[in-house]
Amino acid sequence: MRYYVLDRGDQLSVDLSESFHKLAAQQGLQFDAKSPDIVVSIGGDGTMLHAFHTFIDQIPSIAFVGVHTGHLGFYADWKADEIPELVSMMGGHAGSGFPKPRMVRYPLIELEIQKKSGTSSYICLNEFTLKGVDGTVVAQVDINDQMFEMFRGDGICVSTPCGSTAYNKSLGGAMIHPSIEALQITEIASINNRVFRTMGSPLVLPKHHHCDIYSKKEQNLLLTVDHINLPMDDLISVRCRVADQKVSFMRYRPFPFWDRVRNAFLG
Ligand code: NAP
């Protein structure tokens, strides 16, 4: 098995990364920076976002595993002191009594950006957001080519089920089990009064629906794709839908989503 390790860059993560390589060599795992079968992220959930985007062109052929240097995360289900056990399982040399590894596949969002200066496309693991840089965002939201609402406010967040526990949650969105192929649209501080009106509630769209967000004035916007910031001063529109491709995570032991949620938010 070919593997790659991406760490957060802090001393602890770098040290853990080095000890991972030593253990991996003992298990006969092969380091491959170009086309690994498994990418291990060591750091936090944020590090997994970096790992995902580093290998964005190979998503169909890669499975991710996360090690957390602090508390357990949504993408990082192994603790630092469990690395020997993880490497053993990756090498297939773990003792009896361990469950068989399982690959889980979770939905992503694809977005097509149209600017006066050209088009581009992205895939997100957590979410994308469109925010105002120097004032209120004015944007028309269409669902399945029908005008839905005219949005005025700080911005709009569109999240995957995996990202529903991240920024989306801070915005009052629902937490969605990642086995559900959907995207969720949440508002960031919308203006609602006698003149301006938005739905106000988060919207959950199924896989076969799409949403277009049209910029409705000359405005400086910031489009974020997970941790990536893309300033936009000539945006025409963003089209988004649940992507055809999915992200794969290798589960060497069970850690159900609702256990993660309880663990992260209720302690
Ligand atoms: P960051 O601002 O350094 O970290 C944001 C926090 O979000 C970290 O604690 C991170 O966990 C956590 N996180 C990331 N993905 C998550 C997930 N799927 N479920 C639950 N928590 C998650 O930024 P970053 O590390 O570059 O991560 C970018 C992400 O930050 C964005 O995708 C967005 O979801 C999130 N964000 C949240 C808010 C908010 O809640 N108000 C605002 C902006 C951005 P770790 O500590 O384990 O890395």
Side-chain angles (χ1 to χ4, degrees):
M1 178 194 291
R2 290 160 303 166
Y3 79 97
Y4 182 75
V5 176
L6 189 141
D7 65 61
R8 186 164 47 193
D10 58 291
Q11 199 52 53
L12 175 59
S13 303
V14 171
D15 291 347
L16 290 170
S17 189
E18 277 166 18
S19 64
F20 189 100
H21 290 305
K22 281 186 196 142
L23 291 164
Q26 288 165 17
Q27 293 284 346
L29 300 175
Q30 192 189 331
F31 177 79
D32 189 331
K34 286 213 171 104
S35 52
D37 304 306
I38 294 209
V39 171
V40 180
S41 117
I42 301 183
D45 285 332
T47 320
M48 183 61 83
L49 297 176
H50 284 263
F52 174 81
H53 284 278
T54 302
F55 288 94
I56 194 78
D57 296 331
Q58 296 176 57
I59 293 303
S61 62
I62 283 179
F64 293 88
V65 174
V67 176
H68 213 294
T69 50
H71 55 93
L72 289 176
F74 280 86
Y75 298 121
D77 28 0
W78 292 86
K79 288 185 282 188
D81 60 1
E82 294 173 326
I83 285 181
E85 187 184 334
L86 169 63
V87 181
S88 234
M89 294 183 100
M90 284 175 66
H93 298 124
S96 59
F98 285 102
K100 242 184 112 192
R102 204 167 65 90
M103 185 101 86
V104 294
R105 288 159 58 74
Y106 292 153
L108 302 166
I109 293 173
E110 62 185 39
L111 55 151
E112 289 162 31
I113 301 166
Q114 270 207 32
K115 296 188 289 181
K116 287 179 190 152
S117 51
T119 60
S120 51
S121 53
Y122 288 87
I123 300 272
C124 26
L125 175 56
N126 264 357
E127 77 285 294
F128 79 88
T129 70
L130 194 60
K131 296 186 209 173
V133 172
D134 49 14
T136 299
V137 176
V138 182
Q140 179 179 320
V141 178
D142 286 14
I143 296 177
N144 299 335
D145 304 316
Q146 295 288 317
M147 182 184 163
F148 187 76
E149 65 184 11
M150 189 65 77
F151 176 89
R152 284 178 180 77
D154 284 1
I156 295 170
C157 171
V158 182
S159 83
T160 64
C162 284
S164 69
T165 51
Y167 200 172
N168 168 80
K169 181 180 182 295
S170 305
L171 298 170
M175 283 185 262
I176 296 190
H177 193 279
S179 61
I180 298 170
E181 294 183 285
L183 60 77
Q184 181 167 193
I185 306 170
T186 44
E187 301 177 352
I188 309 174
S190 57
I191 300 175
N192 267 289
N193 53 34
R194 284 174 180 217
V195 185
F196 304 129
R197 179 122 323 202
T198 61
M199 186 54 68
S201 308
L203 308 174
V204 177
L205 268 53
K207 189 171 182 196
H208 58 287
H209 289 192
H210 63 269
C211 170
D212 293 288
I213 303 170
Y214 294 93
S215 173
K216 292 306 271 188
K217 68 169 194 193
E218 289 284 318
Q219 50 192 337
N220 283 321
L221 299 167
L222 179 69
L223 189 102
T224 67
V225 175
D226 298 332
H227 59 290
I228 303 163
N229 289 336
L230 304 163
M232 303 263 148
D233 60 4
D234 63 346
L235 182 76
I236 299 171
S237 66
V238 182
R239 168 167 286 206
C240 59
R241 55 188 286 273
V242 176
D244 289 331
Q245 57 178 312
K246 290 185 169 186
V247 61
S248 302
F249 293 101
M250 192 57 98
R251 297 273 187 252
Y252 289 98
R253 62 181 180 197
F255 188 7
F257 178 76
W258 298 116
D259 287 2
R260 288 165 202 264
V261 169
R262 195 181 53 240
N263 190 57
F265 299 112
L266 300 176

